[in-house]
Amino acid sequence: MQAVKPAAPPPPTGTLRSGCPVSLGLDIFGDRWTLLIVRDLMFSGKRHYREMLASDEHISSNILADRLKTLLGEGIITKTADPAHQQKVIYSLTEKGAALLPVLMAISDWSHAHRPVSDAYRPAPAPPALPPTWEQALQEVRRAHQLTDRS
Amino acid sequence: MQAVKPAAPPPPTGTLRSGCPVSLGLDIFGDRWTLLIVRDLMFSGKRHYREMLASDEHISSNILADRLKTLLGEGIITKTADPAHQQKVIYSLTEKGAALLPVLMAISDWSHAHRPVSDAYRPAPAPPALPPTWEQALQEVRRAHQLTDRS
């Protein structure tokens, strides 16, 4: 584990750089931490602040608190009292948050192909075949960039 | 267009926070700018530095130069002399860069459903149906977070 400088927080809600859908997504989760919090909630069964604080990436407490606040404000997560622990709260994904699954899966698939994923995360589940429209688009990108057609 | 503070650059190559595939992807493109550069190359037909500098999000020249350097170092883009303009270079995606298409598509699909996408980007193409494995995973997330099953 090496120390990593905290990233600047995402721009405040309502500060839009453009109307482009890619940009509009990155305005919310285009930092190094936000999607890791969503990942913890989605795949690791984590629900408590301290559990997320204990993740391998060693998020700092102030960044975690800030990003949770952003995610709450954007309606991507909710916060409720934990019936089992009176002084704890439980964080959960909303439907809008659950809808980030394809984003996380796409990043994961890309990393399995191109990054040094730990053995603990292998063997990767076979990546789903690209939907026809995506495959077509990928072919167009390949053509435009003069990549070898592998189909 | 409002001013947005530049984000901190991604961690240097080789600085891994964990072996998790989501984290390993975000180590490279988990900032507010890198995927916008990939987007410009992938969807806007932009090939020159100045074209990317002119995008709606108003990336600053030093951030653009820094992110292009990172993308080159990671083998996500290449740089070649422009045969049409002796003093210009052309940036292109590699196969590794083209493989980011599903990440951009997933972000775009999410934004079309949940963000104020500009009319210029609508009507969105119908999002492809989730592959069966993703649909199954999404159902599990919904169950775990007690979301209404919409299937």
Side-chain angles (χ1 to χ4, degrees), chain A residues 56-109:
Chain A
D56 284 349
E57 292 82 9
H58 296 258
I59 191 169
S60 71
S61 186
N62 65 325
I63 291 180
L64 177 56
D66 178 86
R67 297 308 190 273
L68 287 171
K69 192 176 159 191
T70 299
L71 289 167
L72 285 163
E74 294 291 344
I76 289 170
I77 63 173
T78 55
K79 184 169 82 165
T80 52
D82 183 348
H85 300 86
Q86 208 167 5
Q87 287 164 352
K88 285 186 181 176
V89 295
I90 293 179
Y91 295 95
S92 295
L93 295 168
T94 62
E95 186 69 34
K96 183 176 175 181
L100 284 169
L101 172 70
V103 176
L104 295 183
M105 293 300 289
I107 293 172
S108 178
D109 285 347

Side-chain angles (χ1 to χ4, degrees), chain B residues 14-115:
Chain B
T15 306
L16 306 178
R17 293 178 292 176
S18 81
C20 161
V22 175
S23 179
L24 286 164
L26 297 174
D27 283 341
I28 294 179
F29 50 74
D31 73 307
R32 297 206 297 279
W33 297 108
T34 304
L35 286 181
L36 293 181
I37 296 170
V38 174
R39 173 207 63 182
D40 279 353
L41 289 164
M42 195 175 286
F43 298 126
S44 307
K46 299 190 176 187
R47 290 292 181 281
H48 295 109
Y49 189 89
R50 293 220 160 268
E51 289 173 318
M52 293 183 258
L53 209 56
S55 291
D56 285 349
E57 291 83 8
H58 296 258
I59 191 169
S60 72
S61 186
N62 64 325
I63 291 181
L64 177 56
D66 178 84
R67 298 307 191 272
L68 287 170
K69 193 176 157 191
T70 299
L71 289 167
L72 285 164
E74 294 291 344
I76 289 170
I77 63 173
T78 55
K79 183 169 84 165
T80 52
D82 183 346
H85 300 88
Q86 209 166 4
Q87 286 162 353
K88 285 187 181 178
V89 294
I90 293 179
Y91 295 95
S92 295
L93 295 169
T94 62
E95 185 69 34
K96 184 176 175 182
L100 285 168
L101 171 70
V103 176
L104 294 182
M105 293 300 290
I107 294 172
S108 178
D109 285 347
W110 184 84
S111 289
H112 274 291
H114 298 290
R115 298 283 287 153

